[in-house]
Amino acid sequence: MIKAVTGTRDTLPTDIPKWNFLESIVESVFSKFNYKEIRTPVFEDTNLFARGIGESTDIVGKEMYTFVDRSGESITLRPEMTAGVVRALIEHSLDKKQNLNKLYYMGPMFRQERPQAGRYRQFHQFGAEALGSNDPLLDAEMIIMAYDIFARLGLKNLLVKINSLGVPSSRENYKKILRDYLQPYFEKLTSESKKRFDTNILRLFDSKEENDRKIMEDAPLLIDYLDDESLRHFEKVKEALLASRIPFEVDAKLVRGLDYYTHTTFEVVSGSVGSQSALCGGGRYNLLVKELGGPDIPGIGFAAGMERILLACENENSFSVKEENLDLYLVAIGKGLENFIYSNAVNFRREGLSVDLDYLGRSVKAQMREANRTNSRYVLLIGGEEFDRGEVVLKNMGTGEQKIFTKDDFEKILLTVKEN
Ligand code: ATP
Ligand code: MG
């Protein structure tokens, strides 16, 4: 038997309502903040990600689904959306049409990671990017939107962590200080951290290795070496979060490791999903658009993992979705009524009712069971003596009440079902 590829998952009909609910909240919150949806291709030129995410990151280093297509081009399934959104902005000169572009997206992403709870190879993210302004209020806006979405989902066990990575000039100076601090411990570092020591030294704060963590415990912190402008920017972000009643914590060890990140970085972590606890992450990237060949405009964004969010919701039992129901189930009593029933079903559907009928030649009892299983609000009983008299019986499944109609009273039946 052929099975779904490792790390990919089917979303079965029974799971769809909660996905729909999540998607509707995402759309609703983003549109209240005036973000417009953008959709970009699922695959892109590999160079876009190599340049846009950075060669020294885990994503580019070991997680991308990259292949050469039949025309010899190197293609990569998108591992995240920021690069694609920025490419689209540049390609369509969106920045020339309006100075600030506030965009959001939702869709599948692909990374070849070790599958585990909350970590898949095809997973889904929603996220937002605001391109064209360095206003710290936008940094705060990203965090507020993420938080509001989580709150609307009923999630409680949340921690918002924020930090500032400042600007490259003060960061370069700090990197030297960090390097000096780490030099004596170099031989004790894990091989991964040794590599990062040269390529992306800030990422050593991300190490999960106990020994690395001990060494990093007393390391000098970037936040203590920030320039005045960066500090002012960070203060304004914090003020806006306080004013919007977002509980947060400054985590001076939160680094997101990309060289183009500037100023704010943040993460929202859930206490309800075990070790894969980050629900979303984001930050300001004032150098990225230019790095990708576009104009010198600043940007900020975040991305959130939808599977992880739904896992947290399940574990906290944070919301329940209404059971799906049908308006009307047409029950056939006896044979020979197929044409009448079928054309009525089609007409009721065209008038806006959700309607189903039996396609399996089942007994009346089995059809009634099916009406119950599909949570039908009404059943229309067609056939038997009543039908011989030119009548059909409409049963309200909630109250048990039955009403008789003449069999051609389509409008009246429609009205009754629609009214309740
Ligand atoms: P992690 O540290 O968990 O690997 P990350 O830093 O790689 O996360 P981002 O690239 O910032 O994650 O992506 C944003 C969000 O997307 C994450 O916070 C997480 O919720 C989700 N996410 C990332 N990778 C996966 C994955 N393989 N499966 C499911 N969700 C994921
Ligand atoms: Mg990752």
Side-chain angles (χ1 to χ4, degrees):
M1 193 184 65
I2 300 174
K3 293 195 171 167
V5 173
T6 307
T8 69
R9 305 198 311 162
D10 299 305
T11 307
L12 299 177
T14 43
D15 289 325
I16 293 293
K18 65 183 187 201
W19 279 89
N20 283 340
F21 181 66
L22 169 58
E23 287 160 13
S24 71
I25 285 178
V26 170
E27 276 162 11
S28 150
V29 171
F30 281 146
S31 68
K32 298 231 156 59
F33 285 80
N34 197 26
Y35 283 69
K36 304 289 182 208
E37 188 180 0
I38 183 165
R39 300 184 188 187
T40 63
V42 164
F43 55 87
E44 299 263 5
D45 183 330
T46 301
N47 292 317
L48 173 68
F49 301 117
R51 232 192 311 154
I53 302 174
E55 302 279 3
S56 69
T57 58
D58 288 350
I59 294 181
V60 176
K62 52 187 185 198
E63 296 173 0
M64 292 203 307
Y65 277 100
T66 298
F67 59 96
V68 176
D69 74 4
R70 284 169 210 270
S71 53
E73 266 168 276
S74 181
I75 298 291
T76 295
L77 301 185
R78 65 184 185 198
E80 54 102 61
M81 270 291 271
T82 306
V85 169
V86 170
R87 180 205 42 73
L89 172 106
I90 299 169
E91 191 167 332
H92 303 281
S93 305
L94 297 184
D95 59 296
K96 308 244 160 42
K97 291 165 192 141
Q98 55 193 55
N99 291 328
L100 174 60
N101 280 277
K102 302 212 290 184
L103 305 167
Y104 84 89
Y105 60 82
M106 247 188 283
M109 309 295 154
F110 308 85
R111 298 182 194 178
Q112 190 156 9
E113 307 197 61
R114 193 170 68 79
Q116 48 199 295
R119 196 178 286 290
Y120 308 100
R121 292 182 170 177
Q122 173 172 343
F123 60 101
H124 296 77
Q125 289 184 336
F126 65 80
E129 319 285 348
L131 295 144
S133 164
N134 191 38
D135 192 337
L137 293 180
L138 284 172
D139 306 37
E141 188 161 291
M142 291 294 158
I143 299 168
I144 295 166
M145 289 192 296
Y147 195 83
D148 283 7
I149 289 169
F150 298 150
R152 292 257 309 260
L153 291 166
L155 286 173
K156 298 226 158 58
N157 200 352
L158 297 175
L159 178 61
V160 180
K161 299 195 284 188
I162 65 168
N163 192 21
S164 172
L165 297 180
V167 292
S169 54
S170 56
R171 196 156 66 219
E172 284 315 309
N173 176 39
Y174 161 76
K175 280 186 187 169
K176 279 196 213 99
I177 294 163
L178 184 59
R179 219 164 264 140
D180 289 344
Y181 165 83
L182 283 171
Q183 204 69 63
Y185 303 104
F186 184 81
E187 285 311 321
K188 291 197 182 124
L189 294 172
T190 54
S191 60
E192 183 72 23
S193 289
K194 278 184 183 144
K195 239 188 280 159
R196 287 173 169 172
F197 185 89
D198 292 319
T199 56
N200 204 338
I201 195 162
L202 287 181
R203 285 296 305 282
L204 266 77
F205 284 109
D206 268 354
S207 177
K208 306 243 167 11
E209 206 57 47
E210 188 53 35
N211 198 45
D212 285 353
R213 292 181 84 93
K214 265 210 199 98
I215 294 171
M216 297 313 286
E217 224 159 69
D218 297 322
L221 297 170
L222 173 53
I223 198 130
D224 297 323
Y225 294 87
L226 288 184
D227 55 291
D228 289 347
E229 185 224 320
S230 297
L231 284 173
R232 268 199 304 277
H233 188 104
F234 197 39
E235 279 312 309
K236 286 197 180 139
V237 176
K238 289 190 273 184
E239 276 166 28
L241 290 177
L242 282 171
S244 307
R245 299 183 304 281
I246 303 288
F248 66 89
E249 190 182 288
V250 174
D251 178 352
K253 293 193 167 121
L254 176 72
V255 292
R256 299 202 34 96
L258 304 192
D259 281 341
Y260 59 71
Y261 267 126
T262 50
H263 298 294
T264 316
T265 55
F266 70 94
E267 232 171 63
V268 181
V269 208
S270 165
S272 314
V273 284
S275 55
Q276 265 38 267
S277 63
L279 298 188
C280 77
R284 186 164 271 290
Y285 47 83
N286 287 353
L287 305 173
L288 177 64
V289 184
K290 191 156 179 246
E291 174 63 30
L292 286 175
D296 189 4
I297 60 169
I300 171 134
F302 80 96
M306 297 172 79
E307 282 82 358
R308 264 183 222 183
I309 290 168
L310 287 176
L311 195 62
C313 291
E314 250 160 65
N315 292 347
E316 289 188 33
N317 215 342
S318 73
F319 69 83
S320 52
V321 279
K322 245 187 31 213
E323 266 195 82
E324 307 253 289
N325 59 18
L326 277 182
D327 291 320
L328 183 63
Y329 197 89
L330 304 184
V331 170
I333 304 169
K335 303 274 171 243
L337 302 164
E338 289 79 8
N339 291 346
F340 178 83
I341 292 178
Y342 193 72
S343 63
N344 266 280
V346 171
N347 290 335
F348 280 129
R349 288 161 173 161
R350 286 180 175 157
E351 291 300 326
L353 298 187
S354 55
V355 178
D356 216 348
L357 59 129
D358 178 46
Y359 299 94
L360 298 170
R362 282 179 281 205
S363 68
V364 174
K365 207 166 138 197
Q367 291 181 65
M368 289 305 287
R369 254 204 311 275
E370 184 63 10
N372 275 319
R373 198 189 64 78
T374 52
N375 290 316
S376 299
R377 295 191 299 114
Y378 282 90
V379 161
L380 192 62
L381 297 148
I382 302 164
E385 283 166 30
E386 283 86 359
F387 199 79
D388 294 340
R389 284 200 299 272
E391 290 168 353
V392 290
V393 180
L394 183 70
K395 180 172 179 185
N396 180 324
M397 298 294 278
T399 63
E401 189 194 350
Q402 305 205 6
K403 263 192 190 162
I404 295 174
F405 293 86
T406 58
K407 72 179 174 46
D408 299 320
D409 248 349
F410 179 82
E411 291 297 331
K412 280 197 189 140
I413 297 169
L414 180 67
L415 263 180
T416 309
V417 176
K418 272 197 170 168
E419 256 169 22
N420 301 287

